[in-house]
Amino acid sequence: MAIPRLTLDSAVYISTFNIPGTVGQDQSFVQATCSTGTYTTHADFTLGNRDGSNPPSNVSVLTTAPEDQACTAVPGTTPPDTVIDSGPSGIVTTDQATFTFSGVPANDTAKVQCKLDSDPFADCTSPKTFSALADGIHTAEFRAEDVEGNQDPSPATRTFTVDTTPPDIAPTSLSFPSQAKGTFSAPQNVTVTNTSGDPTNSTGVSLSVSRLSITGPDKTEFLIFGEDCTETDIPVLGTCQVPIRFAPYAIGAKAATLETRYNVPGGPNEFLTVALAGTGGDLPTGPTGPTGSTGDTGATGDTGATGATGDTGATGDTGATGPIAPIGPTGSTGDTGDTGATGPTGPTGVAGFSKVKVSGPAKVKKNKKATYKVKISNSGNAAATGVRLKASGKGISSKKSVGKIQGGTTKKVKVKVKPKKTGKVKASFKVTSENAGGKTVKKKIKVRK
């Protein structure tokens, strides 16, 4: 027979209790029935022998029986409570759920049993992980039990939803055709679909797109226009659109990634991605502009050299000698005879440009005048007439009348240009004439802002 000593406020009560159990067994909430009333202990104690060879520990009572009174004690019937300390609720995006739990008070809890959905209760320890869960609504239950077998009549419960189906995004990549730099392409759409459940299935949950962003080396050359994904939650099987435009500002291949951050109510943030690619091209050449007005007439060239003298005509036959007449008086001087005919004109000399050389600054500012010196050499033996100089290129147009360049001479000409576009320009300096043909020289110029 196990007879405990009940201690209250350092006083020792040695009432005789007949308590079911074995020496050394833990007990709690023991009710003692005595001749003067019923009394209940209120803490853990260990059954011990009456002679004190195995004394109880941590014993207190709400009310004690008078000393030396024979009583009969029975285990208490108040069960422990059950508490879920941690675990999921709302949406779970994996196929498992882990809970921690405990009985209250802990010293009155011998074990805890748990169950999931319609499964029976079974002994378990904290933490407990339920695995291989199907998509849908689940309920986990936990109940504590004391050493006497009293079970919590109202188990702790937690209901949660498993949704492991991610939303869909299509297409998973966009490729734009070649697009002229500095211009916008037509939009291409990306569609996000909430694939959670179906409209008649209560497991379906709404989808929230919290952020859309473009990342990668060329992220500034792909643009989002007028999307409707972040405005409101997307219902089950609902969709939203993300229009993307390609706007390259340089020539060459471009790449970036569309990132769509989403979550479901109570779920973690996740990403969907779409690869973006395109090629930046050069601007197309515009139509040819109208012909400019005719320039002023150049100065009259020098008179050409006099041609060589023609050949002398053949001498006529000598007439027969007449009789010698008497010497008459000296006659008056006769009139001068007519001038003989001019011989044919000799061949005209040839003019030709052998060399055109351009010197001047390699770097200029947009809309600022810059002066270039052009040396034009005529290696022919005749003057080059009607000589003109024209400077042209992207954003450059300038004309100058040079006039005449004598044969075998070089003439220096200054021409001013005023670039109207920035970038690298290959300027052409073209020399033309009426009789010496033409010649063109190109010069690379960098135009800055």
mmCIF file of all heavy atoms in Angstrom, residues 223-246:
data_model
loop_
_atom_site.group_PDB
_atom_site.id
_atom_site.type_symbol
_atom_site.label_atom_id
_atom_site.label_comp_id
_atom_site.label_asym_id
_atom_site.label_seq_id
_atom_site.Cartn_x
_atom_site.Cartn_y
_atom_site.Cartn_z
ATOM 1 N N LEU A 223 10.441 47.112 -72.134
ATOM 2 C CA LEU A 223 9.539 47.928 -71.325
ATOM 3 C C LEU A 223 8.192 47.237 -71.134
ATOM 4 O O LEU A 223 7.694 46.547 -72.032
ATOM 5 C CB LEU A 223 9.323 49.295 -72.004
ATOM 6 C CG LEU A 223 10.589 50.072 -72.383
ATOM 7 C CD1 LEU A 223 10.222 51.318 -73.166
ATOM 8 C CD2 LEU A 223 11.394 50.434 -71.142
ATOM 9 N N ILE A 224 7.616 47.414 -69.907
ATOM 10 C CA ILE A 224 6.275 46.901 -69.601
ATOM 11 C C ILE A 224 5.268 48.021 -69.849
ATOM 12 O O ILE A 224 5.424 49.127 -69.336
ATOM 13 C CB ILE A 224 6.198 46.434 -68.134
ATOM 14 C CG1 ILE A 224 7.213 45.305 -67.883
ATOM 15 C CG2 ILE A 224 4.791 45.969 -67.792
ATOM 16 C CD1 ILE A 224 7.325 44.903 -66.417
ATOM 17 N N PHE A 225 4.206 47.717 -70.644
ATOM 18 C CA PHE A 225 3.214 48.725 -70.980
ATOM 19 C C PHE A 225 1.821 48.249 -70.590
ATOM 20 O O PHE A 225 1.339 47.242 -71.094
ATOM 21 C CB PHE A 225 3.223 49.024 -72.490
ATOM 22 C CG PHE A 225 4.241 50.050 -72.911
ATOM 23 C CD1 PHE A 225 5.556 49.691 -73.115
ATOM 24 C CD2 PHE A 225 3.884 51.376 -73.073
ATOM 25 C CE1 PHE A 225 6.495 50.625 -73.498
ATOM 26 C CE2 PHE A 225 4.812 52.324 -73.459
ATOM 27 C CZ PHE A 225 6.122 51.950 -73.669
ATOM 28 N N GLY A 226 1.148 48.961 -69.660
ATOM 29 C CA GLY A 226 -0.269 48.765 -69.387
ATOM 30 C C GLY A 226 -0.659 47.396 -68.877
ATOM 31 O O GLY A 226 -1.696 46.875 -69.296
ATOM 32 N N GLU A 227 0.137 46.761 -67.988
ATOM 33 C CA GLU A 227 -0.231 45.449 -67.467
ATOM 34 C C GLU A 227 -1.421 45.548 -66.508
ATOM 35 O O GLU A 227 -1.677 46.594 -65.923
ATOM 36 C CB GLU A 227 0.975 44.799 -66.758
ATOM 37 C CG GLU A 227 1.614 45.641 -65.665
ATOM 38 C CD GLU A 227 0.911 45.500 -64.344
ATOM 39 O OE1 GLU A 227 0.115 44.556 -64.153
ATOM 40 O OE2 GLU A 227 1.129 46.361 -63.470
ATOM 41 N N ASP A 228 -2.157 44.415 -66.348
ATOM 42 C CA ASP A 228 -3.304 44.397 -65.429
ATOM 43 C C ASP A 228 -3.167 43.294 -64.372
ATOM 44 O O ASP A 228 -4.160 42.851 -63.807
ATOM 45 C CB ASP A 228 -4.614 44.223 -66.200
ATOM 46 C CG ASP A 228 -4.667 42.910 -66.978
ATOM 47 O OD1 ASP A 228 -3.659 42.167 -66.985
ATOM 48 O OD2 ASP A 228 -5.718 42.620 -67.582
ATOM 49 N N CYS A 229 -1.915 42.858 -64.109
ATOM 50 C CA CYS A 229 -1.706 41.757 -63.160
ATOM 51 C C CYS A 229 -1.610 42.228 -61.719
ATOM 52 O O CYS A 229 -2.014 41.515 -60.795
ATOM 53 C CB CYS A 229 -0.437 40.977 -63.527
ATOM 54 S SG CYS A 229 -0.604 40.014 -65.047
ATOM 55 N N THR A 230 -1.049 43.412 -61.482
ATOM 56 C CA THR A 230 -0.837 43.865 -60.105
ATOM 57 C C THR A 230 -2.003 44.685 -59.573
ATOM 58 O O THR A 230 -1.954 45.152 -58.432
ATOM 59 C CB THR A 230 0.454 44.704 -60.022
ATOM 60 O OG1 THR A 230 0.336 45.840 -60.905
ATOM 61 C CG2 THR A 230 1.670 43.882 -60.418
ATOM 62 N N GLU A 231 -3.052 44.875 -60.381
ATOM 63 C CA GLU A 231 -4.153 45.731 -59.956
ATOM 64 C C GLU A 231 -5.069 45.045 -58.943
ATOM 65 O O GLU A 231 -5.582 45.671 -58.023
ATOM 66 C CB GLU A 231 -4.969 46.163 -61.181
ATOM 67 C CG GLU A 231 -4.181 47.016 -62.163
ATOM 68 C CD GLU A 231 -4.987 47.341 -63.408
ATOM 69 O OE1 GLU A 231 -6.118 46.811 -63.526
ATOM 70 O OE2 GLU A 231 -4.507 48.120 -64.246
ATOM 71 N N THR A 232 -5.287 43.727 -59.111
ATOM 72 C CA THR A 232 -6.221 43.015 -58.233
ATOM 73 C C THR A 232 -5.865 41.544 -58.217
ATOM 74 O O THR A 232 -5.100 41.060 -59.069
ATOM 75 C CB THR A 232 -7.671 43.199 -58.735
ATOM 76 O OG1 THR A 232 -8.562 42.583 -57.808
ATOM 77 C CG2 THR A 232 -7.856 42.576 -60.106
ATOM 78 N N ASP A 233 -6.396 40.780 -57.241
ATOM 79 C CA ASP A 233 -6.141 39.345 -57.175
ATOM 80 C C ASP A 233 -6.768 38.648 -58.378
ATOM 81 O O ASP A 233 -7.817 39.061 -58.890
ATOM 82 C CB ASP A 233 -6.714 38.756 -55.892
ATOM 83 C CG ASP A 233 -5.906 39.169 -54.672
ATOM 84 O OD1 ASP A 233 -4.810 39.733 -54.864
ATOM 85 O OD2 ASP A 233 -6.366 38.942 -53.545
ATOM 86 N N ILE A 234 -6.116 37.568 -58.823
ATOM 87 C CA ILE A 234 -6.576 36.807 -59.985
ATOM 88 C C ILE A 234 -7.385 35.611 -59.479
ATOM 89 O O ILE A 234 -6.873 34.789 -58.714
ATOM 90 C CB ILE A 234 -5.381 36.327 -60.818
ATOM 91 C CG1 ILE A 234 -4.507 37.531 -61.221
ATOM 92 C CG2 ILE A 234 -5.846 35.589 -62.060
ATOM 93 C CD1 ILE A 234 -3.198 37.133 -61.856
ATOM 94 N N PRO A 235 -8.652 35.478 -59.887
ATOM 95 C CA PRO A 235 -9.479 34.361 -59.397
ATOM 96 C C PRO A 235 -9.015 33.031 -59.981
ATOM 97 O O PRO A 235 -8.181 32.984 -60.891
ATOM 98 C CB PRO A 235 -10.881 34.729 -59.895
ATOM 99 C CG PRO A 235 -10.628 35.567 -61.109
ATOM 100 C CD PRO A 235 -9.378 36.351 -60.821
ATOM 101 N N VAL A 236 -9.578 31.936 -59.453
ATOM 102 C CA VAL A 236 -9.238 30.602 -59.934
ATOM 103 C C VAL A 236 -9.494 30.509 -61.437
ATOM 104 O O VAL A 236 -10.559 30.902 -61.927
ATOM 105 C CB VAL A 236 -10.058 29.540 -59.177
ATOM 106 C CG1 VAL A 236 -9.810 28.153 -59.761
ATOM 107 C CG2 VAL A 236 -9.709 29.571 -57.707
ATOM 108 N N LEU A 237 -8.490 30.038 -62.188
ATOM 109 C CA LEU A 237 -8.509 29.915 -63.642
ATOM 110 C C LEU A 237 -8.604 31.264 -64.343
ATOM 111 O O LEU A 237 -8.799 31.311 -65.560
ATOM 112 C CB LEU A 237 -9.630 28.981 -64.118
ATOM 113 C CG LEU A 237 -9.531 27.518 -63.647
ATOM 114 C CD1 LEU A 237 -10.634 26.696 -64.284
ATOM 115 C CD2 LEU A 237 -8.182 26.932 -63.957
ATOM 116 N N GLY A 238 -8.435 32.368 -63.618
ATOM 117 C CA GLY A 238 -8.407 33.693 -64.236
ATOM 118 C C GLY A 238 -7.034 33.988 -64.835
ATOM 119 O O GLY A 238 -6.041 33.311 -64.561
ATOM 120 N N THR A 239 -6.969 35.010 -65.691
ATOM 121 C CA THR A 239 -5.716 35.391 -66.350
ATOM 122 C C THR A 239 -5.501 36.892 -66.254
ATOM 123 O O THR A 239 -6.430 37.659 -65.972
ATOM 124 C CB THR A 239 -5.723 34.994 -67.842
ATOM 125 O OG1 THR A 239 -6.774 35.708 -68.517
ATOM 126 C CG2 THR A 239 -5.914 33.506 -68.022
ATOM 127 N N CYS A 240 -4.250 37.289 -66.493
ATOM 128 C CA CYS A 240 -3.910 38.712 -66.643
ATOM 129 C C CYS A 240 -2.834 38.825 -67.713
ATOM 130 O O CYS A 240 -2.196 37.834 -68.077
ATOM 131 C CB CYS A 240 -3.449 39.316 -65.314
ATOM 132 S SG CYS A 240 -1.894 38.633 -64.698
ATOM 133 N N GLN A 241 -2.655 40.039 -68.237
ATOM 134 C CA GLN A 241 -1.747 40.269 -69.355
ATOM 135 C C GLN A 241 -0.616 41.226 -68.964
ATOM 136 O O GLN A 241 -0.837 42.205 -68.251
ATOM 137 C CB GLN A 241 -2.504 40.860 -70.556
ATOM 138 C CG GLN A 241 -3.682 40.028 -71.039
ATOM 139 C CD GLN A 241 -3.251 38.723 -71.658
ATOM 140 O OE1 GLN A 241 -2.235 38.660 -72.346
ATOM 141 N NE2 GLN A 241 -4.012 37.671 -71.400
ATOM 142 N N VAL A 242 0.594 40.919 -69.497
ATOM 143 C CA VAL A 242 1.763 41.793 -69.312
ATOM 144 C C VAL A 242 2.320 42.103 -70.708
ATOM 145 O O VAL A 242 3.045 41.287 -71.286
ATOM 146 C CB VAL A 242 2.851 41.134 -68.453
ATOM 147 C CG1 VAL A 242 3.995 42.130 -68.203
ATOM 148 C CG2 VAL A 242 2.277 40.657 -67.133
ATOM 149 N N PRO A 243 1.968 43.273 -71.316
ATOM 150 C CA PRO A 243 2.514 43.618 -72.639
ATOM 151 C C PRO A 243 3.973 44.074 -72.502
ATOM 152 O O PRO A 243 4.304 44.884 -71.633
ATOM 153 C CB PRO A 243 1.610 44.766 -73.109
ATOM 154 C CG PRO A 243 0.451 44.799 -72.149
ATOM 155 C CD PRO A 243 0.962 44.245 -70.861
ATOM 156 N N ILE A 244 4.839 43.556 -73.396
ATOM 157 C CA ILE A 244 6.261 43.905 -73.400
ATOM 158 C C ILE A 244 6.602 44.539 -74.744
ATOM 159 O O ILE A 244 6.201 44.037 -75.797
ATOM 160 C CB ILE A 244 7.144 42.662 -73.184
ATOM 161 C CG1 ILE A 244 6.756 41.944 -71.891
ATOM 162 C CG2 ILE A 244 8.625 43.057 -73.150
ATOM 163 C CD1 ILE A 244 7.022 42.726 -70.640
ATOM 164 N N ARG A 245 7.358 45.661 -74.697
ATOM 165 C CA ARG A 245 7.856 46.290 -75.920
ATOM 166 C C ARG A 245 9.379 46.316 -75.895
ATOM 167 O O ARG A 245 9.989 46.440 -74.832
ATOM 168 C CB ARG A 245 7.324 47.722 -76.063
ATOM 169 C CG ARG A 245 5.862 47.785 -76.474
ATOM 170 C CD ARG A 245 5.436 49.208 -76.780
ATOM 171 N NE ARG A 245 4.106 49.273 -77.343
ATOM 172 C CZ ARG A 245 3.530 50.382 -77.787
ATOM 173 N NH1 ARG A 245 4.189 51.529 -77.710
ATOM 174 N NH2 ARG A 245 2.322 50.365 -78.294
ATOM 175 N N PHE A 246 9.972 46.212 -77.097
ATOM 176 C CA PHE A 246 11.429 46.265 -77.265
ATOM 177 C C PHE A 246 11.804 47.653 -77.757
ATOM 178 O O PHE A 246 11.266 48.118 -78.766
ATOM 179 C CB PHE A 246 11.852 45.185 -78.255
ATOM 180 C CG PHE A 246 13.335 45.131 -78.527
ATOM 181 C CD1 PHE A 246 14.261 45.305 -77.499
ATOM 182 C CD2 PHE A 246 13.807 44.868 -79.802
ATOM 183 C CE1 PHE A 246 15.619 45.230 -77.746
ATOM 184 C CE2 PHE A 246 15.160 44.782 -80.059
ATOM 185 C CZ PHE A 246 16.072 44.973 -79.023
#
